[in-house]
Amino acid sequence: MNFKIITIPETQTEVCLHRDRNEEGEEIVRITALVISLTGTEPMLETVVRFADTSSAQFFVGDYSETSARGFLKQCSEEERIGVSENHI
C-alpha cells in the first residue's frame, strides 16, 4: 500500500500517509494533517519516517490505524506547541 487517508470521526481531521523516496533515494512515508488550532489557525503537521526497503514502507502504511493517527496528532501538536482541542485529536 502506497497511500492512505485516515479520518478522525469526531472532527473529520484527515491524516494522510504517502510512500515516496527522498532525494537520497531512501524509502520514506510522509505523514501529514491539517488541524484547526484553538486560535483558529490551520497549521499543517508533518513527519517523515525512513525505511530500509519498499516492503517495510508499504506494510507501515497498510498497518497504520486510527489509533496511530491520533497519536501522531497528539505528539506533533505537543512538539509544535499548538493548542489543539481534545475534540480534534
Side-chain angles (χ1 to χ4, degrees), residues 4-63:
K4 183 185 245 182
I5 297 174
I6 296 175
T7 303
I8 306 300
E10 301 85 14
T11 62
Q12 297 303 302
T13 301
E14 294 180 337
V15 176
C16 303
L17 287 86
H18 177 251
R19 188 188 67 80
D20 201 355
R21 289 183 185 258
N22 63 17
E23 295 81 27
E24 292 80 35
E26 298 172 307
E27 284 290 323
I28 62 169
V29 173
R30 191 175 307 277
I31 307 169
T32 58
L34 287 174
V35 297
I36 300 173
S37 72
L38 294 175
T39 61
T41 61
E42 295 183 12
M44 183 171 90
L45 304 177
E46 179 177 75
T47 193
V48 175
V49 184
R50 294 184 304 181
F51 293 88
D53 56 59
T54 301
S55 297
S56 297
Q58 290 174 324
F59 287 133
F60 178 84
V61 173
D63 289 342

